[in-house]
Amino acid sequence: MSSFFTVPASQRKRKRAETTSSLAIKKRNTATRTTITSKARRRHDRDESISGSESESDAGLRKDSEIEEEGSTGSEHEDETAAEKRLRLAERYLENIKGEVDEVRFDAAEIDKDLIAERLKEDVAETKGRLYRHLASNLSFGSASLIRFRADTHPTTSVATCPPYAYTVSKDMSLIKWRILDPPPSIKCNSEVVQRGTEKKPEGGPTPRRRPKQVAFVKGNKHKVQDTSYQGHVDQILAVAASQDGKFVVTGGRDRRLIVWNAADLRPLRVFTQHRDAVTGLAFRRGTNQLYSGSKDRTIKIWSLDELAYVETLFGHQDEVVDIAALAQERCVSVGARDRTARLWKVVEETQLVFRGGGEKKGKTSRGYTEGSIDRVAIIDEEMFVTGSDNGSLSLWVAHKKKPIFTIPLAHGLSPPIDPSEASAEQNPDPTPVSPPQPRWITALATIPYSDIILSGSWDGNIRVWKVSDDKKRIESLGPIAHGPQFPALTLVGVDDVLNGGMLEHVAMNGGQARAQEDEESSKPVKGVVTDISIFERGERGEDGICVVAALATEHRLGRWIKMKGKNGAVVIEVPAAARRCGIEVSGGGSADE
């Protein structure tokens, strides 16, 4: 039996401890063997690829060349400066626009302007948020057609549109979705002219439907005030807004609730109760699902509807926020009623610009009517907006001026004085007027974004059209909308004089004649108080005209200070493109009542 002690010393060997150097030598030898093996394997694969077909080798060569080209292009772009990169992107953008223009297949002899240059100017202007669309001369407001529609509801308080749908809300807590049909062809370019109201009925069939069709309807329940799980309104709805992508409809009301609805079937998605008082104004940021809401709690809240989440609150107004508007940039404009301020909120910078109304310049007063409340606001572009007040004034503002650059007093004229028989219980009251004529408030205001068109509403029986002047320093009147032979324009004695700087006394002395004209209900295309206006364009960039949807009521949307004759509901006004674009004439306007 052999052991360590019995084996001769010459045959005994001890294992040496492995040092660091020996381990490094072993690793180097292993790595060398691995490298040799991988090289042999790659050589074997290369031999197999060489022995393959020629087509496969050609494909491989093409792929290698493409990879080399991409690498070279990437390296070139890495070395280029910022100016060279801008130049390269601009050249690529021009090539894309040329491709779009070539698809139109136009004849250069038939046009007077360069389409590519025009498109570039429009894109740059819209990116910077500037007014660049002059639509006033391209629309025929005097030839507009008018269609009234309504449901059995209380006064309509607000309206929102997302083509081809319109959404109306009212004081009885109802939200209604309507489908607005395309207008009948009234102008046929290069062919005969079809007069409005004279379209022939199809033989053997009913008259084509033109009145909007009710698609969906939901109504709140005032008895569910204590039910916190109820996803609906429990008090009057005061505001509505629709997202541009057609996914969401949002309503806000006197119950302090802000409810997000699925636009397809008006199914409630989320109920927010962060506001501490009535929600009076809603506005979507253009092209996004970011929402701004204004409330009587004097705050503005920002919401992200993609996540159905609250974002933040903006503070600053000293009175209730009654209206709010927004465009593409992350900013909004709000008006604070009797604090007589408009505020431009820059959300990213976390700053606000305050614009103070109520002041009067010497020689340019509002004829004795002081501005007590700014009730309406609409944005023209990112640097310009317009407001409407309770003294009937329409004011134009720019971001770098703290006061309005232009104001039109008594934009919708004066209301007739109260009849003595209505103000007194006596059988033979004193014929002396109880009070002088009062200005009509601006109760609705809307614009076409980045254009020169402004629409305003009150209770004078008309929706009036205004235009921003070419120098962007004035507002010019284009007259009432939808006034034709059936609806002559209402021109109260003295109102035009006031607009042109005349004397108010002339208006007061002729109050009886103005009242006589007011009593002619048949001459009013819009009966009642215009509580809200929404606009969308027909065709590409409004080339087929615009569609105006106005909410009508017998009283003001926030109270019952005014009681007017009329019907609660809404009206659709189709404004066609100007006839001169087709080279033909258009006959007078028409209407379709209920």
Side-chain angles (χ1 to χ4, degrees), residues 150-158 168-174 176 217 219 222 235-237 531 551-557 560 563 567-570:
R150 72 185 186 99
D152 189 13
T153 62
H154 287 202
T156 307
T157 55
S158 185
T168 59
V169 293
S170 61
K171 291 186 177 182
D172 64 349
M173 300 171 289
S174 63
I176 307 177
F217 172 88
K219 189 174 182 179
K222 63 180 180 180
D235 206 342
Q236 299 176 2
I237 305 177
T531 55
L552 305 178
T554 57
E555 61 191 34
H556 195 275
R557 73 183 186 104
R560 305 189 68 182
K563 194 67 177 178
K567 294 181 179 179
N568 300 315

PDB file of all heavy atoms in Angstrom, residues 150-158 168-174 176 217 219 222 235-237 531 551-557 560 563 567-570:
ATOM      1  N   ARG A 150     -84.950  73.805 -32.225  1.00  0.00           N
ATOM      2  CA  ARG A 150     -85.029  73.834 -30.773  1.00  0.00           C
ATOM      3  C   ARG A 150     -85.617  72.530 -30.266  1.00  0.00           C
ATOM      4  O   ARG A 150     -86.192  71.742 -31.025  1.00  0.00           O
ATOM      5  CB  ARG A 150     -85.889  75.005 -30.291  1.00  0.00           C
ATOM      6  CG  ARG A 150     -87.382  74.844 -30.546  1.00  0.00           C
ATOM      7  CD  ARG A 150     -88.129  76.098 -30.161  1.00  0.00           C
ATOM      8  NE  ARG A 150     -89.581  75.918 -30.277  1.00  0.00           N
ATOM      9  CZ  ARG A 150     -90.371  75.641 -29.240  1.00  0.00           C
ATOM     10  NH1 ARG A 150     -89.845  75.496 -28.035  1.00  0.00           N
ATOM     11  NH2 ARG A 150     -91.673  75.510 -29.397  1.00  0.00           N
ATOM     12  N   ALA A 151     -85.446  72.300 -28.985  1.00  0.00           N
ATOM     13  CA  ALA A 151     -86.100  71.217 -28.266  1.00  0.00           C
ATOM     14  C   ALA A 151     -86.977  71.847 -27.199  1.00  0.00           C
ATOM     15  O   ALA A 151     -86.941  73.063 -26.973  1.00  0.00           O
ATOM     16  CB  ALA A 151     -85.070  70.269 -27.645  1.00  0.00           C
ATOM     17  N   ASP A 152     -87.767  71.033 -26.550  1.00  0.00           N
ATOM     18  CA  ASP A 152     -88.666  71.545 -25.517  1.00  0.00           C
ATOM     19  C   ASP A 152     -87.864  71.758 -24.241  1.00  0.00           C
ATOM     20  O   ASP A 152     -87.917  70.966 -23.294  1.00  0.00           O
ATOM     21  CB  ASP A 152     -89.815  70.564 -25.291  1.00  0.00           C
ATOM     22  CG  ASP A 152     -90.884  71.160 -24.382  1.00  0.00           C
ATOM     23  OD1 ASP A 152     -90.838  72.384 -24.155  1.00  0.00           O
ATOM     24  OD2 ASP A 152     -91.745  70.400 -23.896  1.00  0.00           O
ATOM     25  N   THR A 153     -87.087  72.839 -24.217  1.00  0.00           N
ATOM     26  CA  THR A 153     -86.175  73.096 -23.111  1.00  0.00           C
ATOM     27  C   THR A 153     -86.370  74.495 -22.567  1.00  0.00           C
ATOM     28  O   THR A 153     -87.100  75.323 -23.130  1.00  0.00           O
ATOM     29  CB  THR A 153     -84.713  72.947 -23.566  1.00  0.00           C
ATOM     30  OG1 THR A 153     -84.444  73.933 -24.578  1.00  0.00           O
ATOM     31  CG2 THR A 153     -84.450  71.558 -24.126  1.00  0.00           C
ATOM     32  N   HIS A 154     -85.663  74.766 -21.493  1.00  0.00           N
ATOM     33  CA  HIS A 154     -85.603  76.096 -20.905  1.00  0.00           C
ATOM     34  C   HIS A 154     -84.593  76.932 -21.690  1.00  0.00           C
ATOM     35  O   HIS A 154     -84.040  76.469 -22.694  1.00  0.00           O
ATOM     36  CB  HIS A 154     -85.215  75.980 -19.435  1.00  0.00           C
ATOM     37  CG  HIS A 154     -86.322  75.444 -18.576  1.00  0.00           C
ATOM     38  ND1 HIS A 154     -86.376  75.651 -17.219  1.00  0.00           N
ATOM     39  CD2 HIS A 154     -87.418  74.696 -18.868  1.00  0.00           C
ATOM     40  CE1 HIS A 154     -87.437  75.073 -16.717  1.00  0.00           C
ATOM     41  NE2 HIS A 154     -88.089  74.476 -17.707  1.00  0.00           N
ATOM     42  N   PRO A 155     -84.313  78.169 -21.266  1.00  0.00           N
ATOM     43  CA  PRO A 155     -83.374  79.011 -22.017  1.00  0.00           C
ATOM     44  C   PRO A 155     -82.046  78.330 -22.309  1.00  0.00           C
ATOM     45  O   PRO A 155     -81.409  77.745 -21.420  1.00  0.00           O
ATOM     46  CB  PRO A 155     -83.200  80.223 -21.102  1.00  0.00           C
ATOM     47  CG  PRO A 155     -84.479  80.309 -20.354  1.00  0.00           C
ATOM     48  CD  PRO A 155     -84.926  78.907 -20.143  1.00  0.00           C
ATOM     49  N   THR A 156     -81.611  78.403 -23.557  1.00  0.00           N
ATOM     50  CA  THR A 156     -80.334  77.831 -23.980  1.00  0.00           C
ATOM     51  C   THR A 156     -79.215  78.765 -23.535  1.00  0.00           C
ATOM     52  O   THR A 156     -79.242  79.961 -23.811  1.00  0.00           O
ATOM     53  CB  THR A 156     -80.310  77.645 -25.498  1.00  0.00           C
ATOM     54  OG1 THR A 156     -81.461  76.908 -25.898  1.00  0.00           O
ATOM     55  CG2 THR A 156     -79.067  76.902 -25.931  1.00  0.00           C
ATOM     56  N   THR A 157     -78.228  78.213 -22.857  1.00  0.00           N
ATOM     57  CA  THR A 157     -77.183  79.043 -22.261  1.00  0.00           C
ATOM     58  C   THR A 157     -75.868  79.039 -23.040  1.00  0.00           C
ATOM     59  O   THR A 157     -75.106  79.994 -22.961  1.00  0.00           O
ATOM     60  CB  THR A 157     -76.901  78.581 -20.825  1.00  0.00           C
ATOM     61  OG1 THR A 157     -76.574  77.178 -20.843  1.00  0.00           O
ATOM     62  CG2 THR A 157     -78.120  78.799 -19.949  1.00  0.00           C
ATOM     63  N   SER A 158     -75.578  77.971 -23.795  1.00  0.00           N
ATOM     64  CA  SER A 158     -74.293  77.909 -24.483  1.00  0.00           C
ATOM     65  C   SER A 158     -74.381  76.907 -25.633  1.00  0.00           C
ATOM     66  O   SER A 158     -75.266  76.045 -25.653  1.00  0.00           O
ATOM     67  CB  SER A 158     -73.172  77.518 -23.518  1.00  0.00           C
ATOM     68  OG  SER A 158     -71.918  77.558 -24.152  1.00  0.00           O
ATOM     69  N   THR A 168     -75.722  71.776 -27.469  1.00  0.00           N
ATOM     70  CA  THR A 168     -76.390  72.867 -26.778  1.00  0.00           C
ATOM     71  C   THR A 168     -76.702  72.440 -25.351  1.00  0.00           C
ATOM     72  O   THR A 168     -76.991  71.268 -25.079  1.00  0.00           O
ATOM     73  CB  THR A 168     -77.688  73.270 -27.488  1.00  0.00           C
ATOM     74  OG1 THR A 168     -78.572  72.138 -27.558  1.00  0.00           O
ATOM     75  CG2 THR A 168     -77.411  73.775 -28.900  1.00  0.00           C
ATOM     76  N   VAL A 169     -76.641  73.396 -24.436  1.00  0.00           N
ATOM     77  CA  VAL A 169     -76.998  73.169 -23.035  1.00  0.00           C
ATOM     78  C   VAL A 169     -77.990  74.237 -22.616  1.00  0.00           C
ATOM     79  O   VAL A 169     -78.053  75.318 -23.206  1.00  0.00           O
ATOM     80  CB  VAL A 169     -75.755  73.196 -22.125  1.00  0.00           C
ATOM     81  CG1 VAL A 169     -74.843  72.030 -22.414  1.00  0.00           C
ATOM     82  CG2 VAL A 169     -74.996  74.516 -22.271  1.00  0.00           C
ATOM     83  N   SER A 170     -78.773  73.926 -21.594  1.00  0.00           N
ATOM     84  CA  SER A 170     -79.816  74.847 -21.165  1.00  0.00           C
ATOM     85  C   SER A 170     -79.965  74.834 -19.658  1.00  0.00           C
ATOM     86  O   SER A 170     -79.306  74.050 -18.952  1.00  0.00           O
ATOM     87  CB  SER A 170     -81.152  74.476 -21.831  1.00  0.00           C
ATOM     88  OG  SER A 170     -81.530  73.169 -21.456  1.00  0.00           O
ATOM     89  N   LYS A 171     -80.841  75.693 -19.164  1.00  0.00           N
ATOM     90  CA  LYS A 171     -81.028  75.842 -17.731  1.00  0.00           C
ATOM     91  C   LYS A 171     -81.821  74.699 -17.105  1.00  0.00           C
ATOM     92  O   LYS A 171     -81.943  74.658 -15.875  1.00  0.00           O
ATOM     93  CB  LYS A 171     -81.707  77.180 -17.435  1.00  0.00           C
ATOM     94  CG  LYS A 171     -80.826  78.387 -17.721  1.00  0.00           C
ATOM     95  CD  LYS A 171     -81.471  79.671 -17.272  1.00  0.00           C
ATOM     96  CE  LYS A 171     -80.536  80.864 -17.510  1.00  0.00           C
ATOM     97  NZ  LYS A 171     -81.117  82.137 -17.037  1.00  0.00           N
ATOM     98  N   ASP A 172     -82.391  73.811 -17.904  1.00  0.00           N
ATOM     99  CA  ASP A 172     -83.087  72.657 -17.343  1.00  0.00           C
ATOM    100  C   ASP A 172     -82.160  71.433 -17.249  1.00  0.00           C
ATOM    101  O   ASP A 172     -82.630  70.299 -17.210  1.00  0.00           O
ATOM    102  CB  ASP A 172     -84.333  72.323 -18.146  1.00  0.00           C
ATOM    103  CG  ASP A 172     -84.014  71.886 -19.565  1.00  0.00           C
ATOM    104  OD1 ASP A 172     -82.847  72.039 -19.973  1.00  0.00           O
ATOM    105  OD2 ASP A 172     -84.915  71.397 -20.259  1.00  0.00           O
ATOM    106  N   MET A 173     -80.852  71.683 -17.274  1.00  0.00           N
ATOM    107  CA  MET A 173     -79.812  70.652 -17.071  1.00  0.00           C
ATOM    108  C   MET A 173     -79.723  69.662 -18.232  1.00  0.00           C
ATOM    109  O   MET A 173     -79.286  68.527 -18.041  1.00  0.00           O
ATOM    110  CB  MET A 173     -80.064  69.884 -15.762  1.00  0.00           C
ATOM    111  CG  MET A 173     -80.065  70.747 -14.528  1.00  0.00           C
ATOM    112  SD  MET A 173     -80.630  69.853 -13.052  1.00  0.00           S
ATOM    113  CE  MET A 173     -82.373  69.672 -13.434  1.00  0.00           C
ATOM    114  N   SER A 174     -80.119  70.053 -19.416  1.00  0.00           N
ATOM    115  CA  SER A 174     -80.091  69.145 -20.559  1.00  0.00           C
ATOM    116  C   SER A 174     -78.906  69.453 -21.466  1.00  0.00           C
ATOM    117  O   SER A 174     -78.522  70.612 -21.650  1.00  0.00           O
ATOM    118  CB  SER A 174     -81.390  69.244 -21.367  1.00  0.00           C
ATOM    119  OG  SER A 174     -81.542  70.529 -21.916  1.00  0.00           O
ATOM    120  N   ILE A 176     -77.738  68.388 -25.373  1.00  0.00           N
ATOM    121  CA  ILE A 176     -78.272  67.796 -26.595  1.00  0.00           C
ATOM    122  C   ILE A 176     -77.198  67.838 -27.677  1.00  0.00           C
ATOM    123  O   ILE A 176     -76.525  68.861 -27.861  1.00  0.00           O
ATOM    124  CB  ILE A 176     -79.536  68.530 -27.091  1.00  0.00           C
ATOM    125  CG1 ILE A 176     -80.574  68.618 -25.973  1.00  0.00           C
ATOM    126  CG2 ILE A 176     -80.129  67.831 -28.303  1.00  0.00           C
ATOM    127  CD1 ILE A 176     -81.824  69.386 -26.352  1.00  0.00           C
ATOM    128  N   PHE A 217     -79.267  62.813 -26.271  1.00  0.00           N
ATOM    129  CA  PHE A 217     -79.850  63.716 -25.285  1.00  0.00           C
ATOM    130  C   PHE A 217     -79.606  63.150 -23.891  1.00  0.00           C
ATOM    131  O   PHE A 217     -79.830  61.960 -23.638  1.00  0.00           O
ATOM    132  CB  PHE A 217     -81.356  63.863 -25.538  1.00  0.00           C
ATOM    133  CG  PHE A 217     -82.092  64.627 -24.461  1.00  0.00           C
ATOM    134  CD1 PHE A 217     -82.193  65.997 -24.534  1.00  0.00           C
ATOM    135  CD2 PHE A 217     -82.673  63.973 -23.383  1.00  0.00           C
ATOM    136  CE1 PHE A 217     -82.876  66.711 -23.552  1.00  0.00           C
ATOM    137  CE2 PHE A 217     -83.346  64.673 -22.402  1.00  0.00           C
ATOM    138  CZ  PHE A 217     -83.455  66.053 -22.487  1.00  0.00           C
ATOM    139  N   LYS A 219     -80.009  64.458 -19.563  1.00  0.00           N
ATOM    140  CA  LYS A 219     -80.553  65.492 -18.682  1.00  0.00           C
ATOM    141  C   LYS A 219     -80.196  65.171 -17.246  1.00  0.00           C
ATOM    142  O   LYS A 219     -80.198  64.007 -16.830  1.00  0.00           O
ATOM    143  CB  LYS A 219     -82.074  65.574 -18.839  1.00  0.00           C
ATOM    144  CG  LYS A 219     -82.707  66.763 -18.140  1.00  0.00           C
ATOM    145  CD  LYS A 219     -84.185  66.868 -18.457  1.00  0.00           C
ATOM    146  CE  LYS A 219     -84.808  68.093 -17.781  1.00  0.00           C
ATOM    147  NZ  LYS A 219     -86.248  68.233 -18.099  1.00  0.00           N
ATOM    148  N   LYS A 222     -82.151  67.246 -10.435  1.00  0.00           N
ATOM    149  CA  LYS A 222     -81.934  68.125  -9.285  1.00  0.00           C
ATOM    150  C   LYS A 222     -82.158  67.426  -7.954  1.00  0.00           C
ATOM    151  O   LYS A 222     -81.774  67.949  -6.903  1.00  0.00           O
ATOM    152  CB  LYS A 222     -82.831  69.348  -9.390  1.00  0.00           C
ATOM    153  CG  LYS A 222     -84.319  69.036  -9.345  1.00  0.00           C
ATOM    154  CD  LYS A 222     -85.136  70.305  -9.467  1.00  0.00           C
ATOM    155  CE  LYS A 222     -86.626  70.001  -9.427  1.00  0.00           C
ATOM    156  NZ  LYS A 222     -87.444  71.241  -9.550  1.00  0.00           N
ATOM    157  N   ASP A 235     -77.966  71.062 -11.286  1.00  0.00           N
ATOM    158  CA  ASP A 235     -78.418  72.448 -11.379  1.00  0.00           C
ATOM    159  C   ASP A 235     -78.181  72.931 -12.813  1.00  0.00           C
ATOM    160  O   ASP A 235     -77.732  72.176 -13.666  1.00  0.00           O
ATOM    161  CB  ASP A 235     -77.682  73.319 -10.367  1.00  0.00           C
ATOM    162  CG  ASP A 235     -78.497  74.559  -9.970  1.00  0.00           C
ATOM    163  OD1 ASP A 235     -79.445  74.894 -10.719  1.00  0.00           O
ATOM    164  OD2 ASP A 235     -78.190  75.180  -8.941  1.00  0.00           O
ATOM    165  N   GLN A 236     -78.454  74.186 -13.074  1.00  0.00           N
ATOM    166  CA  GLN A 236     -78.371  74.742 -14.424  1.00  0.00           C
ATOM    167  C   GLN A 236     -76.982  74.551 -15.033  1.00  0.00           C
ATOM    168  O   GLN A 236     -75.970  74.720 -14.358  1.00  0.00           O
ATOM    169  CB  GLN A 236     -78.705  76.235 -14.395  1.00  0.00           C
ATOM    170  CG  GLN A 236     -80.095  76.560 -13.893  1.00  0.00           C
ATOM    171  CD  GLN A 236     -80.330  78.054 -13.790  1.00  0.00           C
ATOM    172  OE1 GLN A 236     -79.454  78.858 -14.126  1.00  0.00           O
ATOM    173  NE2 GLN A 236     -81.512  78.443 -13.336  1.00  0.00           N
ATOM    174  N   ILE A 237     -76.952  74.213 -16.325  1.00  0.00           N
ATOM    175  CA  ILE A 237     -75.691  74.125 -17.074  1.00  0.00           C
ATOM    176  C   ILE A 237     -75.452  75.471 -17.742  1.00  0.00           C
ATOM    177  O   ILE A 237     -76.326  75.980 -18.457  1.00  0.00           O
ATOM    178  CB  ILE A 237     -75.749  72.995 -18.115  1.00  0.00           C
ATOM    179  CG1 ILE A 237     -76.116  71.670 -17.456  1.00  0.00           C
ATOM    180  CG2 ILE A 237     -74.410  72.869 -18.832  1.00  0.00           C
ATOM    181  CD1 ILE A 237     -76.250  70.519 -18.440  1.00  0.00           C
ATOM    182  N   THR A 531     -77.186  84.170 -26.504  1.00  0.00           N
ATOM    183  CA  THR A 531     -76.381  83.842 -25.323  1.00  0.00           C
ATOM    184  C   THR A 531     -75.005  83.295 -25.672  1.00  0.00           C
ATOM    185  O   THR A 531     -74.100  83.334 -24.832  1.00  0.00           O
ATOM    186  CB  THR A 531     -77.118  82.820 -24.454  1.00  0.00           C
ATOM    187  OG1 THR A 531     -77.449  81.667 -25.238  1.00  0.00           O
ATOM    188  CG2 THR A 531     -78.409  83.433 -23.894  1.00  0.00           C
ATOM    189  N   ALA A 551     -76.867  80.342 -29.934  1.00  0.00           N
ATOM    190  CA  ALA A 551     -77.836  79.926 -28.911  1.00  0.00           C
ATOM    191  C   ALA A 551     -78.753  81.097 -28.595  1.00  0.00           C
ATOM    192  O   ALA A 551     -78.285  82.226 -28.394  1.00  0.00           O
ATOM    193  CB  ALA A 551     -77.116  79.449 -27.652  1.00  0.00           C
ATOM    194  N   LEU A 552     -80.056  80.835 -28.537  1.00  0.00           N
ATOM    195  CA  LEU A 552     -81.058  81.872 -28.292  1.00  0.00           C
ATOM    196  C   LEU A 552     -81.831  81.546 -27.031  1.00  0.00           C
ATOM    197  O   LEU A 552     -82.089  80.375 -26.716  1.00  0.00           O
ATOM    198  CB  LEU A 552     -82.022  81.984 -29.472  1.00  0.00           C
ATOM    199  CG  LEU A 552     -81.403  82.233 -30.848  1.00  0.00           C
ATOM    200  CD1 LEU A 552     -82.486  82.272 -31.909  1.00  0.00           C
ATOM    201  CD2 LEU A 552     -80.605  83.522 -30.856  1.00  0.00           C
ATOM    202  N   ALA A 553     -82.231  82.594 -26.309  1.00  0.00           N
ATOM    203  CA  ALA A 553     -82.997  82.415 -25.087  1.00  0.00           C
ATOM    204  C   ALA A 553     -83.869  83.636 -24.866  1.00  0.00           C
ATOM    205  O   ALA A 553     -83.680  84.690 -25.490  1.00  0.00           O
ATOM    206  CB  ALA A 553     -82.074  82.193 -23.884  1.00  0.00           C
ATOM    207  N   THR A 554     -84.817  83.490 -23.974  1.00  0.00           N
ATOM    208  CA  THR A 554     -85.679  84.613 -23.623  1.00  0.00           C
ATOM    209  C   THR A 554     -85.122  85.413 -22.463  1.00  0.00           C
ATOM    210  O   THR A 554     -85.728  86.417 -22.067  1.00  0.00           O
ATOM    211  CB  THR A 554     -87.078  84.092 -23.263  1.00  0.00           C
ATOM    212  OG1 THR A 554     -86.966  83.134 -22.195  1.00  0.00           O
ATOM    213  CG2 THR A 554     -87.738  83.431 -24.467  1.00  0.00           C
ATOM    214  N   GLU A 555     -83.986  84.999 -21.909  1.00  0.00           N
ATOM    215  CA  GLU A 555     -83.365  85.702 -20.805  1.00  0.00           C
ATOM    216  C   GLU A 555     -81.860  85.506 -20.857  1.00  0.00           C
ATOM    217  O   GLU A 555     -81.349  84.674 -21.612  1.00  0.00           O
ATOM    218  CB  GLU A 555     -83.926  85.208 -19.468  1.00  0.00           C
ATOM    219  CG  GLU A 555     -83.685  83.734 -19.210  1.00  0.00           C
ATOM    220  CD  GLU A 555     -84.465  83.215 -18.015  1.00  0.00           C
ATOM    221  OE1 GLU A 555     -85.586  83.700 -17.785  1.00  0.00           O
ATOM    222  OE2 GLU A 555     -83.947  82.330 -17.309  1.00  0.00           O
ATOM    223  N   HIS A 556     -81.142  86.259 -20.051  1.00  0.00           N
ATOM    224  CA  HIS A 556     -79.688  86.181 -20.000  1.00  0.00           C
ATOM    225  C   HIS A 556     -79.263  84.832 -19.429  1.00  0.00           C
ATOM    226  O   HIS A 556     -79.961  84.237 -18.605  1.00  0.00           O
ATOM    227  CB  HIS A 556     -79.140  87.321 -19.139  1.00  0.00           C
ATOM    228  CG  HIS A 556     -77.673  87.551 -19.304  1.00  0.00           C
ATOM    229  ND1 HIS A 556     -76.725  86.841 -18.591  1.00  0.00           N
ATOM    230  CD2 HIS A 556     -76.974  88.408 -20.092  1.00  0.00           C
ATOM    231  CE1 HIS A 556     -75.518  87.256 -18.929  1.00  0.00           C
ATOM    232  NE2 HIS A 556     -75.633  88.203 -19.842  1.00  0.00           N
ATOM    233  N   ARG A 557     -78.083  84.361 -19.842  1.00  0.00           N
ATOM    234  CA  ARG A 557     -77.649  83.029 -19.430  1.00  0.00           C
ATOM    235  C   ARG A 557     -77.285  82.945 -17.954  1.00  0.00           C
ATOM    236  O   ARG A 557     -77.378  81.873 -17.345  1.00  0.00           O
ATOM    237  CB  ARG A 557     -76.452  82.580 -20.277  1.00  0.00           C
ATOM    238  CG  ARG A 557     -75.139  83.280 -19.972  1.00  0.00           C
ATOM    239  CD  ARG A 557     -74.041  82.846 -20.890  1.00  0.00           C
ATOM    240  NE  ARG A 557     -72.755  83.421 -20.506  1.00  0.00           N
ATOM    241  CZ  ARG A 557     -71.780  82.754 -19.889  1.00  0.00           C
ATOM    242  NH1 ARG A 557     -71.948  81.481 -19.581  1.00  0.00           N
ATOM    243  NH2 ARG A 557     -70.648  83.340 -19.574  1.00  0.00           N
ATOM    244  N   ARG A 560     -81.862  86.547 -14.706  1.00  0.00           N
ATOM    245  CA  ARG A 560     -83.158  86.868 -15.320  1.00  0.00           C
ATOM    246  C   ARG A 560     -83.393  88.372 -15.305  1.00  0.00           C
ATOM    247  O   ARG A 560     -84.514  88.844 -15.082  1.00  0.00           O
ATOM    248  CB  ARG A 560     -84.272  86.148 -14.557  1.00  0.00           C
ATOM    249  CG  ARG A 560     -84.065  84.644 -14.464  1.00  0.00           C
ATOM    250  CD  ARG A 560     -85.284  83.947 -13.901  1.00  0.00           C
ATOM    251  NE  ARG A 560     -86.408  84.015 -14.815  1.00  0.00           N
ATOM    252  CZ  ARG A 560     -87.619  83.505 -14.549  1.00  0.00           C
ATOM    253  NH1 ARG A 560     -87.838  82.912 -13.392  1.00  0.00           N
ATOM    254  NH2 ARG A 560     -88.595  83.616 -15.429  1.00  0.00           N
ATOM    255  N   LYS A 563     -86.060  90.001 -19.933  1.00  0.00           N
ATOM    256  CA  LYS A 563     -87.095  89.088 -20.403  1.00  0.00           C
ATOM    257  C   LYS A 563     -87.524  89.545 -21.784  1.00  0.00           C
ATOM    258  O   LYS A 563     -88.094  90.623 -21.944  1.00  0.00           O
ATOM    259  CB  LYS A 563     -88.293  89.085 -19.432  1.00  0.00           C
ATOM    260  CG  LYS A 563     -89.248  87.922 -19.656  1.00  0.00           C
ATOM    261  CD  LYS A 563     -88.601  86.588 -19.319  1.00  0.00           C
ATOM    262  CE  LYS A 563     -89.586  85.438 -19.463  1.00  0.00           C
ATOM    263  NZ  LYS A 563     -88.951  84.132 -19.177  1.00  0.00           N
ATOM    264  N   LYS A 567     -88.258  82.471 -28.612  1.00  0.00           N
ATOM    265  CA  LYS A 567     -88.291  81.057 -28.269  1.00  0.00           C
ATOM    266  C   LYS A 567     -86.888  80.594 -27.905  1.00  0.00           C
ATOM    267  O   LYS A 567     -85.906  81.013 -28.511  1.00  0.00           O
ATOM    268  CB  LYS A 567     -88.815  80.228 -29.449  1.00  0.00           C
ATOM    269  CG  LYS A 567     -90.275  80.498 -29.790  1.00  0.00           C
ATOM    270  CD  LYS A 567     -90.734  79.626 -30.943  1.00  0.00           C
ATOM    271  CE  LYS A 567     -92.194  79.882 -31.273  1.00  0.00           C
ATOM    272  NZ  LYS A 567     -92.659  79.046 -32.407  1.00  0.00           N
ATOM    273  N   ASN A 568     -86.831  79.719 -26.915  1.00  0.00           N
ATOM    274  CA  ASN A 568     -85.552  79.146 -26.529  1.00  0.00           C
ATOM    275  C   ASN A 568     -85.125  78.108 -27.566  1.00  0.00           C
ATOM    276  O   ASN A 568     -85.927  77.296 -28.004  1.00  0.00           O
ATOM    277  CB  ASN A 568     -85.668  78.478 -25.159  1.00  0.00           C
ATOM    278  CG  ASN A 568     -86.087  79.464 -24.081  1.00  0.00           C
ATOM    279  OD1 ASN A 568     -85.562  80.572 -24.017  1.00  0.00           O
ATOM    280  ND2 ASN A 568     -87.031  79.065 -23.249  1.00  0.00           N
ATOM    281  N   GLY A 569     -83.897  78.140 -27.946  1.00  0.00           N
ATOM    282  CA  GLY A 569     -83.408  77.198 -28.951  1.00  0.00           C
ATOM    283  C   GLY A 569     -82.093  77.669 -29.530  1.00  0.00           C
ATOM    284  O   GLY A 569     -81.246  78.225 -28.824  1.00  0.00           O
ATOM    285  N   ALA A 570     -81.933  77.468 -30.816  1.00  0.00           N
ATOM    286  CA  ALA A 570     -80.701  77.871 -31.496  1.00  0.00           C
ATOM    287  C   ALA A 570     -81.017  78.124 -32.964  1.00  0.00           C
ATOM    288  O   ALA A 570     -82.112  77.812 -33.450  1.00  0.00           O
ATOM    289  CB  ALA A 570     -79.616  76.803 -31.353  1.00  0.00           C
TER     290      ALA A 570
END
